[in-house]
Amino acid sequence: MSHESQRNIRCLVAKVGLDGHDRGAHVITRAFRDAGFEVIYSGLHKAPEEIVQAAVQEDVDVLGISILSGAHNTLVPKIVEGLEAYDAFEDTLIIVGGIVPDEDREGLKEAGVDAIFGPGTPMEETIEFIRANVTRRD
């Protein structure tokens, strides 16, 4: 492998909407850093547009959306639409972590989410999914 193809995977861990619970986002941010990923954390209470701007400006490979508020069916599609508007959707692996009822999962995947990880998912499972599915843009 060339040095260029070993570039770190860039991730944005984002908290969208009014959800004020960020312990899980901090845990996953640390786990991603420990796995060798470059990680940007959005901070709390970000609008979908702010997350899209950060993902585009930081040229991330992975967008991890942490959501516990129940507003995932409204907020996540807005983020996907924003990424599409900036022609960044195809190059961005989108994962969602948090509380997503089983009946909502298929709709989110149809909207463009690549994977959903609920509470208790082993960190290594999420990390391996990213490594196996990220689009390399060397």
Side-chain angles (χ1 to χ4, degrees):
M1 266 189 182
S2 72
H3 172 69
E4 195 59 31
S5 66
Q6 292 180 14
R7 164 179 91 70
N8 286 348
I9 295 170
R10 291 177 60 83
C11 304
L12 171 61
V13 175
K15 291 296 296 181
V16 64
L18 300 177
D19 180 0
H21 302 278
D22 65 349
R23 182 171 177 264
H26 285 287
V27 169
I28 199 78
T29 295
R30 175 160 299 193
F32 285 179
R33 283 189 181 130
D34 289 349
F37 301 167
E38 289 181 43
V39 185
I40 300 113
Y41 173 56
S42 72
L44 288 171
H45 309 301
K46 298 301 177 191
E49 301 78 24
E50 292 175 295
I51 291 168
V52 169
Q53 288 293 319
V56 170
Q57 290 172 7
E58 295 290 345
D59 192 28
V60 297
D61 302 300
V62 181
L63 172 56
I65 303 166
S66 172
I67 191 159
L68 300 166
S69 67
H72 47 270
N73 286 332
T74 303
L75 298 172
V76 173
K78 286 182 180 179
I79 293 169
V80 171
E81 289 167 15
L83 290 172
E84 288 171 336
Y86 281 94
D87 202 24
F89 173 73
E90 294 297 325
D91 293 333
T92 307
L93 186 72
I94 301 171
I95 60 174
V96 172
I99 313 252
V100 177
D102 289 341
E103 61 267 19
D104 293 344
R105 290 174 178 251
E106 194 57 41
L108 288 177
K109 288 189 175 181
E110 287 172 9
V113 172
D114 294 293
I116 300 165
F117 299 98
T121 301
M123 253 358 126
E124 198 56 39
E125 183 179 322
T126 306
I127 291 164
E128 288 306 316
F129 178 85
I130 290 169
R131 286 189 175 134
N133 291 284
V134 75
T135 302
R136 301 311 292 218
R137 296 173 288 157
D138 298 326

